Amino acid sequence: SDLERDRYEKMTRGEKIKQGAADLYDNARNIMTTGEFSFIGRQGLFASAAHPIKAARALPDMVRAFLSDSEGAHAVNLKTLNDPLVPAAKEAGLFLIESGARLSKQEEAFMGRIANAKGVGGKAKAAFDWTVGRFNQAGTAFLNRLRLDSFKAMQETGLTPAEQKQLATYVNESTGRGGLGKFEASGVLLSRLLFAPRFLVSRFQYALGHSMWDGTGRSRRIIAKQYARTALGLSAYYTLMELAFNEDENNLELGTDPLSPDFGKLRMGNTRIDPLAGVSQALVYTARTINAANKAVQREIHPERREELTKGAKWTDTTARFVRSKGHPIPSTVANLFDGTTLGGEEATAASEAVRFGGPLTYIDIYEAFKEQDMDDATAIALLAVLGVGVQNYEKKTGNAQTAPARQ
């Protein structure tokens, strides 16, 4: 905007250097998540499972935005933002992405001043428009349309503002835009420490039915119906995957132990396919926390079993690994170099971290899948990964299989 350009031009040299460093830091995530359409299968998974036709109708907007320049993509987005229901939806708290918004109001996956500002950044901005910006434009158009259509699908006559707020909360949480509560004002800071704090929180909120904690019987009924539709959609999703990958007797298995990192994932040899868009990790961490709390109680009730009940991974170690697996790319890279290994146990050197840090993570996952699977299965896995389905590959080390954490 002209205001942003004027503000930048009035900065001192030192302020411009500081702003530039912050811009590069913020856009590290953009670089690692670009080149794919993961917002479909990550932020958009549950809404798409509940309303597949509405998700399909959002795809043309996504394609048009992707193929357009920034002005054309903005016009595509305006078609959604000019919908008559938008003012009421925003009043209820529905999150819709707007061009040029300040950092705290941007979608986490696309967050960054260079990637989102207009009229700012010069050549750097132009480069982002032709690379990262195209995928961000596509994601903005898709998620805005999907969120608004999902909110529309939940409307009933006579809904109160409080009920509308709960419906908007559900849509936000189901599409990866969790609320930070007392930490809302620290959203930007948290996004510089964690990969996607709002998305991470939304996985817990969605899994635990947070949008139904408040509200009325009617709002809970409407939201419960969405959960039911999503469950049916996910059942079909899992069934189709099983049919596709078990055709050649790949011995596809579903992880059912809530304490295992494979919970909810499809195991195929050394490859893990995660169709739950980050919710499985939230459920596993919750299950492990409950298990640790139960052991703590049992140690007090049965002191003679203390040694037995103290065995296994410590909850503090589990929490530390979980938080580290969700870290922003830059502090995560520093942690890997300081430790000499990645969280998955692989050797971390300046060269290996430069490769991991310097390009889209999805294509690293795809490369590993092609090493593990035959051409047909690897190609199918690659397509799923580009559309946002989590893919991890195990590497056997001294007899034990270890896996890198999923990016969320």
Side-chain angles (χ1 to χ4, degrees):
S1 66
D2 292 338
L3 183 61
E4 280 291 301
R5 188 187 300 109
D6 291 343
R7 186 183 69 82
Y8 183 78
E9 289 176 352
K10 292 177 181 178
M11 286 183 177
T12 65
R13 182 181 179 84
E15 289 173 335
K16 288 181 179 180
I17 292 174
K18 181 180 177 181
Q19 179 69 71
D23 291 343
L24 291 174
Y25 186 100
D26 289 337
N27 282 284
R29 178 174 37 232
N30 270 287
I31 294 171
M32 297 182 75
T33 59
T34 193
E36 31 93 323
F37 301 92
S38 60
F39 46 81
I40 296 175
R42 191 164 291 125
Q43 291 98 320
L45 172 66
F46 299 120
S48 298
H51 300 284
I53 294 177
K54 294 185 184 301
R57 289 173 177 168
L59 292 176
D61 283 359
M62 178 194 81
V63 173
R64 282 193 290 269
F66 180 74
L67 297 176
S68 301
D69 59 19
S70 59
E71 293 302 321
H74 181 61
V76 172
N77 197 33
L78 280 180
K79 287 175 58 181
T80 298
L81 296 179
N82 288 334
D83 187 282
L85 186 61
V86 165
K90 284 186 174 181
E91 182 68 23
L94 184 70
F95 178 72
L96 296 172
I97 312 163
E98 298 193 41
S99 300
R102 62 183 186 272
L103 292 178
S104 62
K105 297 297 183 181
Q106 293 177 14
E107 185 73 29
E108 284 178 325
F110 319 140
M111 179 179 158
R113 195 183 70 94
I114 294 175
N116 291 281
K118 290 190 173 187
V120 179
K123 294 181 179 179
K125 172 59 177 170
F128 263 75
D129 278 345
W130 279 103
T131 53
V132 175
R134 294 284 177 143
F135 292 95
N136 290 2
Q137 290 171 184
T140 296
F142 178 82
L143 290 175
N144 276 353
R145 176 74 182 270
L146 185 63
R147 283 171 175 151
L148 183 62
D149 284 354
S150 297
F151 186 70
K152 281 183 177 181
M154 301 170 75
Q155 296 302 299
E156 291 185 1
T157 303
L159 287 171
T160 67
E163 290 171 329
Q164 293 281 30
K165 179 180 178 181
Q166 293 308 119
L167 303 189
T169 297
Y170 169 81
V171 174
N172 289 343
E173 292 173 357
S174 67
T175 57
R177 186 72 181 186
L180 299 177
K182 296 179 180 179
F183 298 98
E184 281 291 340
S186 303
V188 174
L189 173 62
L190 289 172
S191 71
R192 288 171 175 166
L193 297 174
L194 300 173
F195 200 98
R198 290 184 182 277
F199 183 85
L200 173 59
V201 169
S202 77
R203 303 301 84 180
F204 285 94
Q205 292 170 332
Y206 183 80
L208 299 175
H210 173 256
S211 57
M212 293 194 289
W213 293 4
D214 292 321
T216 66
R218 178 165 56 173
S219 67
R220 293 188 181 97
R221 173 181 57 78
I222 295 171
I223 293 171
K225 182 179 178 181
Q226 298 304 305
Y227 272 105
R229 292 180 64 104
T230 301
L232 288 173
L234 289 177
S235 296
Y237 185 30
Y238 271 94
T239 300
L240 288 173
M241 282 200 179
E242 184 175 6
L243 290 173
F245 288 110
N246 259 345
E247 183 179 2
D248 298 324
E249 298 183 354
N250 286 314
N251 297 318
L252 194 71
E253 297 179 331
L254 174 64
T256 57
D257 180 2
L259 297 177
S260 167
D262 287 342
F263 178 67
K265 298 178 183 179
L266 298 171
R267 300 191 295 259
M268 188 168 66
N270 292 333
T271 301
R272 302 295 186 266
I273 302 172
D274 179 8
L276 290 179
V279 165
S280 61
Q281 290 95 327
L283 290 173
V284 168
Y285 178 76
T286 301
R288 290 178 175 179
T289 298
I290 293 171
N291 185 54
N294 179 59
K295 283 186 175 182
V297 172
Q298 292 299 316
R299 282 195 295 268
E300 295 301 319
I301 298 175
H302 304 287
E304 73 279 3
R305 297 177 57 202
R306 186 173 187 84
E307 183 176 352
E308 172 195 346
L309 292 168
T310 306
K311 291 180 180 179
K314 296 184 182 297
W315 180 81
T316 51
D317 293 338
T318 298
T319 300
R321 286 179 61 84
F322 181 80
V323 172
R324 181 176 165 185
S325 73
K326 307 302 179 185
H328 184 281
I330 291 179
S332 293
T333 297
V334 172
N336 290 345
L337 291 173
F338 280 11
D339 282 355
T341 61
T342 66
L343 196 53
E346 300 172 351
E347 182 182 14
T349 65
S352 67
E353 288 301 292
V355 171
R356 187 186 70 86
F357 187 77
L361 290 175
T362 294
Y363 293 98
I364 297 175
D365 296 332
I366 291 173
Y367 171 72
E368 295 295 332
F370 271 95
K371 291 199 301 183
E372 294 289 343
Q373 307 296 331
D374 62 35
M375 181 61 70
D376 289 344
D377 287 337
T379 301
I381 289 171
L383 177 60
L384 290 173
V386 168
L387 296 178
V389 178
V391 175
Q392 302 95 42
N393 294 279
Y394 280 56
E395 289 189 12
K396 294 182 179 178
K397 297 180 181 291
T398 62
N400 295 317
Q402 297 188 11
T403 184
R407 165 176 58 87
Q408 296 298 344

